[in-house]
Amino acid sequence: MSLYEKIQSDMKEAMKSRDTLRTNTLRFVIAAVKNFQASSEENRKGEVTDDTVIGLIGKEVKRREESIEAYVKAGRNELVAQETLEMEILKDYLPEELSENEIRAVALKTIEDLKANGPSDLGKVMREVMVRLKGRADGKLTNKIVRELLESR
């Protein structure tokens, strides 16, 4: 069963158990996948892969994080709680995030493979590291680690 099929199945179960929060959150994901498919002719013809769904869920998680930040600044605690719960539901469908040490190891290997010399190679290294990590690490943390490693060269 693909990740997309699992999400659809879980949404049906949430509807049956009248879990509106989970139902609505999973509907957002299904809508994001359908919007992705409708975005181009190539996407309409292709199959929805787990990597695509993980990428879309990652975007939804990031959107929730940004909303939480804004709601905290505005003092809207009830909305902070809502967004936090939705974000936790979404994270259940993402692969386990790597630790800082694991990210550092991938970044070091990438820097060695690309023969990067300093901060001027940050863009090149980040592109390759993010491809290798495939959504299993936070971009900000990865950028911080890569920057540190490149500055120490």
Side-chain angles (χ1 to χ4, degrees), residues 116 118-127 142-143 146-148 150:
S120 62
D121 293 327
L122 179 68
K124 178 172 66 172
V125 173
M126 276 301 294
R127 269 190 297 280
T142 304
N143 188 301
V146 170
R147 208 176 276 277
E148 286 173 7
L150 287 173

Side-chain angles (χ1 to χ4, degrees), residues 9 12 19 52 60 94 125 127:
S9 172
K12 289 175 187 172
D19 184 348
T52 302
E60 290 294 323
L94 292 176
V125 173
R127 269 190 297 280

Side-chain angles (χ1 to χ4, degrees), residues 54-67:
I54 288 170
L56 293 169
I57 293 172
K59 287 179 185 177
E60 290 294 323
V61 168
K62 187 168 286 296
R63 188 173 295 141
R64 299 295 187 297
E65 288 171 348
E66 291 167 358
S67 296

Side-chain angles (χ1 to χ4, degrees), residues 29-44:
V29 174
I30 292 169
V33 170
K34 288 182 179 179
N35 287 338
F36 172 77
Q37 286 178 310
S39 67
S40 75
E41 189 67 34
E42 181 181 321
N43 294 342
R44 265 183 243 121

Side-chain angles (χ1 to χ4, degrees), residues 1-11 26 92-93:
M1 177 184 286
S2 74
L3 181 59
Y4 184 58
E5 291 167 343
K6 178 171 177 23
I7 290 170
Q8 289 176 318
S9 172
D10 289 354
M11 186 189 76
L26 295 179
D92 288 344
Y93 295 96

